[in-house]
Amino acid sequence: MRVTYILFGYYVLISSVLVNAFEPISTTIVGAGVTLGLAAVGQKMYNHLHESCEPKWVAFNSTGLEVALDQKLFGQHVASRVIQKAVTGFMNNKNPKKPLVLSLHGWTGTGKNLVSQLIAENIYKKGMASSFVHQFVSTAHFLHLSQIENYKSQLQQWIKGNVTNCPRSMFIFDEMDKMHPGLIDCIKPYLDYYEHLDGVSYRQAIFIFLSNAGGEHITQVVLDFWKAGRDREEIKLQHLEPALSLSVFNSKQSGLWHTSLIDKNLVDFFVPFLPLEYRHVLLCGMAEMSAKGLKPDRDVVDQMARELVYFPKSERIFSSKGCKTIGGKLDYYT
């Protein structure tokens, strides 16, 4: 920021010298023109050096998202397809009727946070570090039930202020299963089909909810496919979404319990994240070694993966923590 001010000051100094060279009658007119011109130059310089809501900083990369989902998200063919189509369709729509609202569900370590990160990285130049990406964690930001009315007011002000600043803002709500029921309903007007609300349009914004709620139902469906000898890749969104939305709506352990967001059909997609099997843990491990700058070693990853906890106890099919602890485990084995 200091660089911008110094450069801008330099231009103002030069302009003052130039203005003094003109005759008195023309000084006022020319001076005003130079000032306006320099203000425009200064604004362009500021936008070039500092993040703004301009295309230089906010632009969707559909191919980048597709490649990232393919190379970094494992065992989630349903989620990958839904996310790619939903985000691409929304971002390519010049006149959406409402914000994009995604609710991601599944056990820990299955890729929900990763997907949020990949979406951000392929819309915002600064990814998750962008000032237009806002992440809320229920156990950190909305901890006390006694403060719920204050939380509602603060959340409404925060969303309105940031969408006013940049219509293409993204809001991520993590640990929805730990959020106090009723709190999230305060943002319902911003997710609805209003063209403007108090002079602000929310139609270009993205809202993402992350939750473990519904994990039991998702796991049971995948287990049933396994017991029937069917390939998990045969599972489609319609096998999971209707019952998933209903179970989340009726779960008292969910911040979406009896929420108007579901009741009024404002959530565009309930995205299921399937429990990960041993083979998916191997893929996570190999990718993690590459990310650490190490040469992927199948024997090392295999040793690490075999010592993880799997469920159900008798079959040992699914990793109880998905790929969440892979990074730390590999540090021990490498």
Coordinates of all heavy atoms in Angstrom, one line a residue, residues 99-149:
P99 N -28.4 -17.1 -5.2 CA -27.0 -17.5 -5.0 C -26.9 -19.1 -5.1 O -27.9 -19.8 -5.0 CB -26.8 -17.1 -3.5 CG -27.8 -16.1 -3.2 CD -29.0 -16.5 -4.0
L100 N -25.7 -19.5 -5.3 CA -25.5 -21.0 -5.3 C -25.3 -21.5 -3.9 O -24.5 -20.9 -3.1 CB -24.2 -21.3 -6.1 CG -23.8 -22.8 -6.1 CD1 -24.8 -23.7 -6.8 CD2 -22.4 -23.0 -6.8
V101 N -26.1 -22.5 -3.5 CA -26.1 -23.0 -2.1 C -25.8 -24.5 -2.2 O -26.6 -25.2 -2.7 CB -27.4 -22.7 -1.4 CG1 -27.3 -23.2 0.1 CG2 -27.7 -21.2 -1.4
L102 N -24.7 -24.9 -1.6 CA -24.3 -26.3 -1.6 C -24.1 -26.8 -0.2 O -23.6 -26.1 0.7 CB -22.9 -26.5 -2.3 CG -22.8 -26.0 -3.8 CD1 -21.4 -26.1 -4.3 CD2 -23.7 -26.8 -4.7
S103 N -24.6 -27.9 0.1 CA -24.5 -28.5 1.5 C -23.8 -29.8 1.3 O -24.3 -30.8 0.7 CB -25.9 -28.8 2.1 OG -25.8 -29.0 3.5
L104 N -22.5 -29.9 1.8 CA -21.7 -31.1 1.7 C -21.7 -31.9 3.0 O -21.5 -31.4 4.1 CB -20.2 -30.6 1.4 CG -20.0 -29.5 0.4 CD1 -18.5 -29.3 0.2 CD2 -20.8 -29.8 -0.9
H105 N -22.0 -33.2 2.8 CA -22.2 -34.1 3.9 C -21.4 -35.4 3.8 O -21.2 -35.9 2.7 CB -23.7 -34.5 4.0 CG -24.6 -33.3 4.3 ND1 -25.0 -32.9 5.5 CD2 -25.2 -32.5 3.4 CE1 -25.8 -31.9 5.4 NE2 -25.9 -31.6 4.1
G106 N -20.9 -35.8 5.0 CA -20.1 -37.1 5.0 C -19.2 -37.1 6.2 O -19.0 -36.1 6.9
W107 N -18.6 -38.3 6.5 CA -17.7 -38.4 7.6 C -16.4 -37.6 7.5 O -16.1 -37.1 6.4 CB -17.3 -39.9 7.8 CG -18.4 -40.8 8.3 CD1 -18.8 -42.0 7.8 CD2 -19.3 -40.6 9.4 NE1 -19.8 -42.5 8.5 CE2 -20.1 -41.7 9.5 CE3 -19.4 -39.5 10.4 CZ2 -21.1 -41.8 10.5 CZ3 -20.4 -39.7 11.4 CH2 -21.2 -40.8 11.4
T108 N -15.7 -37.4 8.5 CA -14.5 -36.6 8.5 C -13.5 -37.2 7.6 O -13.4 -38.4 7.5 CB -13.9 -36.5 10.0 OG1 -12.8 -35.7 10.0 CG2 -13.6 -37.9 10.5
G109 N -12.7 -36.4 7.0 CA -11.6 -36.8 6.1 C -12.0 -37.3 4.8 O -11.2 -37.9 4.0
T110 N -13.2 -37.0 4.4 CA -13.7 -37.5 3.0 C -13.5 -36.5 1.9 O -13.7 -36.8 0.8 CB -15.2 -38.0 3.1 OG1 -16.0 -37.0 3.7 CG2 -15.3 -39.3 4.0
G111 N -13.2 -35.3 2.3 CA -12.9 -34.3 1.2 C -13.7 -33.0 1.2 O -13.6 -32.3 0.2
K112 N -14.6 -32.8 2.2 CA -15.5 -31.6 2.1 C -14.7 -30.3 2.2 O -14.9 -29.4 1.4 CB -16.4 -31.7 3.3 CG -17.3 -33.0 3.3 CD -18.4 -33.0 4.4 CE -17.8 -32.9 5.8 NZ -17.0 -34.1 6.1
N113 N -13.8 -30.2 3.1 CA -13.0 -29.0 3.2 C -12.1 -28.8 1.9 O -11.9 -27.7 1.5 CB -12.1 -29.0 4.4 CG -12.8 -28.5 5.7 OD1 -13.1 -27.3 5.8 ND2 -13.1 -29.4 6.6
L114 N -11.6 -30.0 1.5 CA -10.7 -29.9 0.3 C -11.5 -29.3 -0.9 O -11.0 -28.5 -1.7 CB -10.2 -31.3 -0.1 CG -9.5 -31.5 -1.4 CD1 -8.2 -30.6 -1.4 CD2 -9.1 -32.9 -1.7
V115 N -12.7 -29.8 -1.1 CA -13.6 -29.3 -2.2 C -13.8 -27.8 -2.1 O -13.7 -27.1 -3.1 CB -14.9 -30.1 -2.3 CG1 -15.9 -29.3 -3.1 CG2 -14.7 -31.5 -2.8
S116 N -14.1 -27.3 -0.9 CA -14.3 -25.9 -0.7 C -13.0 -25.1 -1.1 O -13.1 -24.1 -1.8 CB -14.6 -25.6 0.8 OG -15.7 -26.3 1.2
Q117 N -11.9 -25.7 -0.8 CA -10.6 -25.1 -1.1 C -10.4 -25.0 -2.6 O -10.0 -24.0 -3.2 CB -9.4 -25.8 -0.5 CG -8.1 -25.3 -0.8 CD -7.0 -26.3 -0.3 OE1 -7.1 -26.8 0.8 NE2 -5.9 -26.4 -1.0
L118 N -10.7 -26.1 -3.3 CA -10.5 -26.2 -4.7 C -11.4 -25.3 -5.5 O -11.1 -24.7 -6.5 CB -10.8 -27.7 -5.2 CG -9.8 -28.7 -4.7 CD1 -10.2 -30.1 -5.3 CD2 -8.4 -28.4 -5.0
I119 N -12.7 -25.1 -5.0 CA -13.6 -24.1 -5.6 C -13.0 -22.7 -5.5 O -13.0 -22.0 -6.4 CB -15.0 -24.2 -4.9 CG1 -15.6 -25.6 -5.2 CG2 -15.9 -23.1 -5.4 CD1 -16.9 -25.8 -4.5
A120 N -12.5 -22.4 -4.3 CA -12.0 -21.1 -4.0 C -10.7 -20.8 -4.9 O -10.6 -19.7 -5.5 CB -11.6 -20.9 -2.6
E121 N -9.9 -21.8 -5.0 CA -8.7 -21.7 -5.8 C -8.9 -21.5 -7.3 O -8.1 -20.9 -8.0 CB -7.8 -22.9 -5.6 CG -7.1 -23.0 -4.2 CD -6.3 -24.2 -4.0 OE1 -6.4 -25.1 -4.8 OE2 -5.7 -24.3 -2.9
N122 N -10.1 -21.9 -7.8 CA -10.4 -21.8 -9.2 C -11.4 -20.7 -9.5 O -11.9 -20.6 -10.6 CB -10.9 -23.1 -9.7 CG -9.7 -24.1 -9.9 OD1 -9.0 -24.0 -10.8 ND2 -9.6 -25.0 -8.9
I123 N -11.6 -19.8 -8.5 CA -12.4 -18.6 -8.7 C -11.6 -17.4 -8.3 O -11.6 -16.4 -9.0 CB -13.7 -18.6 -7.9 CG1 -14.7 -19.8 -8.4 CG2 -14.5 -17.3 -8.0 CD1 -15.9 -19.9 -7.6
Y124 N -10.9 -17.5 -7.2 CA -10.2 -16.3 -6.7 C -8.7 -16.5 -6.9 O -8.1 -17.6 -6.6 CB -10.5 -16.1 -5.2 CG -12.0 -16.0 -4.9 CD1 -12.7 -17.1 -4.5 CD2 -12.6 -14.8 -5.1 CE1 -14.1 -17.1 -4.3 CE2 -14.0 -14.7 -4.9 CZ -14.7 -15.9 -4.5 OH -16.1 -15.8 -4.3
K125 N -8.0 -15.5 -7.3 CA -6.6 -15.6 -7.6 C -5.8 -16.0 -6.3 O -4.8 -16.7 -6.3 CB -6.0 -14.3 -8.1 CG -4.6 -14.3 -8.6 CD -4.2 -13.0 -9.2 CE -2.7 -13.0 -9.7 NZ -2.4 -11.7 -10.3
K126 N -6.3 -15.5 -5.2 CA -5.6 -15.7 -3.9 C -6.2 -16.9 -3.1 O -5.8 -17.2 -2.0 CB -5.7 -14.5 -3.0 CG -5.0 -13.3 -3.6 CD -5.0 -12.1 -2.7 CE -4.2 -12.2 -1.5 NZ -4.1 -10.9 -0.7
G127 N -7.1 -17.6 -3.8 CA -7.7 -18.9 -3.2 C -8.4 -18.6 -1.9 O -9.1 -17.6 -1.7
M128 N -8.1 -19.5 -0.9 CA -8.7 -19.3 0.4 C -8.2 -18.1 1.2 O -8.8 -17.6 2.1 CB -8.4 -20.6 1.3 CG -9.1 -21.8 0.8 SD -10.9 -21.7 1.0 CE -11.1 -21.7 2.8
A129 N -7.1 -17.5 0.7 CA -6.5 -16.3 1.3 C -7.2 -15.1 0.8 O -6.9 -13.9 1.3 CB -5.0 -16.2 1.1
S130 N -8.1 -15.2 -0.1 CA -8.8 -14.1 -0.7 C -9.7 -13.4 0.3 O -10.3 -14.0 1.2 CB -9.7 -14.5 -1.9 OG -10.5 -13.4 -2.3
S131 N -9.7 -12.0 0.3 CA -10.6 -11.3 1.2 C -12.0 -11.4 0.9 O -12.9 -10.9 1.6 CB -10.2 -9.8 1.2 OG -10.3 -9.3 -0.2
F132 N -12.3 -12.1 -0.2 CA -13.7 -12.4 -0.6 C -14.2 -13.8 -0.3 O -15.3 -14.1 -0.6 CB -13.9 -12.1 -2.1 CG -13.3 -10.8 -2.6 CD1 -12.4 -10.7 -3.6 CD2 -13.7 -9.6 -1.9 CE1 -11.9 -9.5 -4.0 CE2 -13.2 -8.4 -2.3 CZ -12.3 -8.3 -3.4
V133 N -13.4 -14.5 0.4 CA -13.7 -15.9 0.9 C -13.8 -15.8 2.4 O -12.9 -15.4 3.1 CB -12.7 -16.9 0.5 CG1 -13.1 -18.3 1.1 CG2 -12.6 -17.1 -1.0
H134 N -15.0 -16.1 2.9 CA -15.2 -16.0 4.4 C -15.6 -17.3 5.0 O -16.6 -18.0 4.5 CB -16.4 -15.0 4.6 CG -16.2 -13.7 3.8 ND1 -15.4 -12.7 4.2 CD2 -16.7 -13.3 2.6 CE1 -15.4 -11.7 3.3 NE2 -16.2 -12.1 2.3
Q135 N -14.8 -17.8 5.9 CA -15.1 -19.1 6.5 C -15.5 -19.0 8.0 O -14.8 -18.2 8.8 CB -13.8 -20.0 6.4 CG -14.0 -21.4 6.9 CD -12.8 -22.3 6.4 OE1 -11.7 -21.8 6.2 NE2 -13.1 -23.6 6.3
F136 N -16.5 -19.6 8.3 CA -17.0 -19.7 9.7 C -17.0 -21.1 10.3 O -17.4 -22.0 9.6 CB -18.5 -19.1 9.8 CG -18.7 -17.8 9.2 CD1 -19.0 -17.6 7.9 CD2 -18.5 -16.6 10.0 CE1 -19.2 -16.3 7.3 CE2 -18.7 -15.4 9.5 CZ -19.0 -15.2 8.1
V137 N -16.5 -21.2 11.5 CA -16.4 -22.5 12.1 C -17.3 -22.4 13.4 O -17.1 -21.6 14.2 CB -15.0 -22.9 12.5 CG1 -14.9 -24.3 13.2 CG2 -14.1 -22.9 11.3
S138 N -18.3 -23.3 13.4 CA -19.3 -23.2 14.5 C -18.7 -23.2 15.9 O -19.1 -22.4 16.7 CB -20.3 -24.4 14.4 OG -21.0 -24.2 13.2
T139 N -17.7 -24.1 16.2 CA -17.2 -24.2 17.5 C -16.2 -23.0 17.8 O -15.8 -22.9 19.0 CB -16.4 -25.5 17.7 OG1 -15.5 -25.6 16.6 CG2 -17.4 -26.7 17.6
A140 N -15.9 -22.2 16.8 CA -15.1 -21.0 17.1 C -15.8 -19.7 17.0 O -15.6 -18.8 17.9 CB -13.9 -21.0 16.1
H141 N -16.7 -19.6 16.1 CA -17.4 -18.3 15.9 C -18.8 -18.2 16.5 O -19.3 -17.1 16.8 CB -17.5 -18.0 14.4 CG -16.2 -17.9 13.7 ND1 -15.7 -18.8 12.9 CD2 -15.3 -16.9 13.7 CE1 -14.5 -18.4 12.4 NE2 -14.3 -17.2 12.9
F142 N -19.4 -19.4 16.8 CA -20.8 -19.4 17.3 C -20.9 -20.3 18.5 O -21.8 -21.2 18.5 CB -21.8 -19.8 16.2 CG -21.6 -19.1 14.9 CD1 -21.2 -19.8 13.8 CD2 -21.8 -17.7 14.8 CE1 -21.1 -19.2 12.5 CE2 -21.6 -17.1 13.6 CZ -21.2 -17.8 12.5
L143 N -20.0 -20.1 19.4 CA -19.9 -21.1 20.5 C -21.0 -21.1 21.6 O -21.4 -22.1 22.0 CB -18.5 -20.9 21.2 CG -18.1 -21.9 22.2 CD1 -18.0 -23.3 21.6 CD2 -16.7 -21.6 22.8
H144 N -21.4 -19.9 21.9 CA -22.3 -19.7 23.1 C -23.8 -19.6 22.7 O -24.1 -18.6 22.0 CB -21.8 -18.6 24.0 CG -20.4 -18.6 24.4 ND1 -20.0 -19.6 25.3 CD2 -19.3 -17.9 24.0 CE1 -18.7 -19.4 25.5 NE2 -18.2 -18.4 24.7
L145 N -24.6 -20.5 23.2 CA -26.0 -20.4 22.9 C -26.6 -19.1 23.4 O -27.5 -18.6 22.8 CB -26.7 -21.6 23.6 CG -28.3 -21.7 23.4 CD1 -28.6 -21.8 21.9 CD2 -28.8 -22.9 24.1
S146 N -26.2 -18.6 24.5 CA -26.7 -17.3 25.1 C -26.5 -16.1 24.2 O -27.1 -15.1 24.3 CB -26.1 -17.1 26.5 OG -24.7 -16.9 26.3
Q147 N -25.5 -16.2 23.2 CA -25.2 -15.1 22.4 C -25.8 -15.3 21.0 O -25.5 -14.6 20.0 CB -23.7 -15.0 22.2 CG -23.0 -14.7 23.5 CD -23.3 -13.3 24.0 OE1 -23.4 -12.3 23.2 NE2 -23.6 -13.2 25.3
I148 N -26.8 -16.2 20.8 CA -27.3 -16.5 19.5 C -27.9 -15.3 18.8 O -27.7 -15.2 17.5 CB -28.3 -17.7 19.6 CG1 -28.6 -18.2 18.1 CG2 -29.6 -17.3 20.3 CD1 -29.4 -19.5 18.1
E149 N -28.6 -14.5 19.5 CA -29.2 -13.3 18.8 C -28.1 -12.3 18.4 O -28.3 -11.7 17.3 CB -30.2 -12.6 19.8 CG -31.4 -13.4 20.1 CD -32.2 -13.9 18.9 OE1 -32.3 -13.1 18.0 OE2 -32.6 -15.0 18.9

